Amino acid sequence: MYGLGILKGMGVTLKHFLDTYIEDLRFLGKGKRTDVAFNLRQGGRNQRLGLFTVEYPEEKIAVPERFRFIPFLVINNLDAEEDAGKIWCTSCGICAKVCPPQCIWIVRGTDPETGRPKPEPEEFYIDIDICMNCGLCAEFCPFDAIKMDHDYELASYDRTTHHIFDKARLSKEFRYWRSIAPTISAEEAEARGGWEHKDVLKEKAKASRAADKAAGAS
């Protein structure tokens, strides 16, 4: 019979519409936007209750670990025993060279005493309006100093200044990277030989060899 499918579809829609209000009453006084209520509404296909669409921005679905948005710069934890807050970037410039839209620019630091370049950026900028979130800068970085952030809520009314991130705004502690990407950071640490930066690991290995040599000579 013509129109029967339409009637069935409208019946399903009406049922969901009424369920939305019935389930709202169920969470009355308990909080509709708690984690428990959200998980119930987002249950399996046959377990979803009431309104199961995500009410963004009040509600957000957790992003996958490999989700990537704009890059950020890794620095040592501010309470680290060695080189607290030291930036991992050595200002080699590879990220800026491989960046397809050319949204990265770096000012290399110089030693004030010798005037020679030092392995640390004086300034580091990324224009997030131009960044295409490809992640090539992070993939090509030989020092694991650039990672892709999960923060995607960056809109503002001022694109001229708020959307050009400087070194201070881009820098985030290593523990932040471990918190948003625990599996990937563990794989990288295993490949590096430890949780610290490559330079710190080299210094530790050098000190260990020197100690062993001194112990052998005595």
Side-chain angles (χ1 to χ4, degrees):
M1 178 179 170
Y2 291 113
L4 186 60
I6 294 175
L7 287 174
K8 284 184 178 178
M10 291 181 68
V12 172
T13 303
L14 182 62
K15 181 179 182 303
H16 282 306
F17 178 72
L18 294 176
D19 284 350
T20 298
Y21 291 98
I22 293 171
E23 290 304 323
D24 277 356
L25 291 175
R26 180 182 175 188
F27 294 110
L28 191 65
K30 300 177 184 175
K32 179 185 172 185
R33 295 200 172 98
T34 62
D35 290 342
V36 174
F38 183 71
N39 290 334
L40 281 173
R41 286 170 34 222
Q42 295 292 319
R45 184 178 179 83
N46 298 320
Q47 300 172 336
R48 293 174 176 172
L49 300 172
L51 181 68
F52 49 79
T53 52
V54 179
E55 296 184 274
Y56 181 85
E58 287 79 11
E59 297 174 339
K60 298 166 192 168
I61 295 179
V63 296
E65 185 173 329
R66 292 190 180 276
F67 174 83
R68 61 171 189 253
F69 207 62
I70 65 161
F72 70 91
L73 300 172
V74 179
I75 62 172
N76 284 341
N77 293 332
L78 297 177
D79 57 356
E81 294 180 358
E82 298 178 26
D83 298 329
K86 181 177 173 56
I87 191 167
W88 288 26
C89 174
T90 62
S91 68
C92 66
I94 291 177
C95 55
K97 290 177 183 173
V98 301
C99 176
Q102 295 290 287
C103 67
I104 300 174
W105 64 100
I106 307 168
V107 178
R108 176 171 287 182
T110 54
D111 190 315
E113 295 181 359
T114 63
R116 292 182 175 178
K118 61 179 182 180
E120 185 178 325
E122 194 73 34
E123 297 175 49
F124 197 111
Y125 298 98
I126 295 180
D127 188 333
I128 64 164
D129 283 337
I130 300 176
C131 177
M132 54 191 281
N133 321 118
C134 64
L136 284 180
C137 53
E139 284 190 36
F140 277 85
C141 178
F143 302 98
D144 289 338
I146 299 182
K147 302 299 174 193
M148 303 304 288
D149 208 344
H150 288 182
D151 183 12
Y152 52 84
E153 295 181 309
L154 305 172
S156 75
Y157 290 104
D158 184 358
R159 294 188 299 175
T160 55
T161 55
H162 288 187
H163 289 190
I164 297 177
F165 284 18
D166 60 10
K167 180 181 165 185
R169 194 168 179 184
L170 290 167
S171 298
K172 296 189 177 181
E173 291 181 84
F174 181 59
R175 63 162 58 92
Y176 173 74
W177 170 236
R178 290 184 65 178
S179 69
I180 65 171
T183 307
I184 302 171
S185 60
E187 291 172 354
E188 292 174 349
E190 185 178 357
R192 272 199 309 274
W195 284 107
E196 294 92 345
H197 184 266
K198 282 182 178 178
D199 290 346
V200 175
L201 295 173
K202 281 182 184 176
E203 288 298 322
K204 283 187 175 180
K206 188 177 177 182
S208 177
R209 287 195 297 271
D212 291 343
K213 189 175 180 181
S218 60

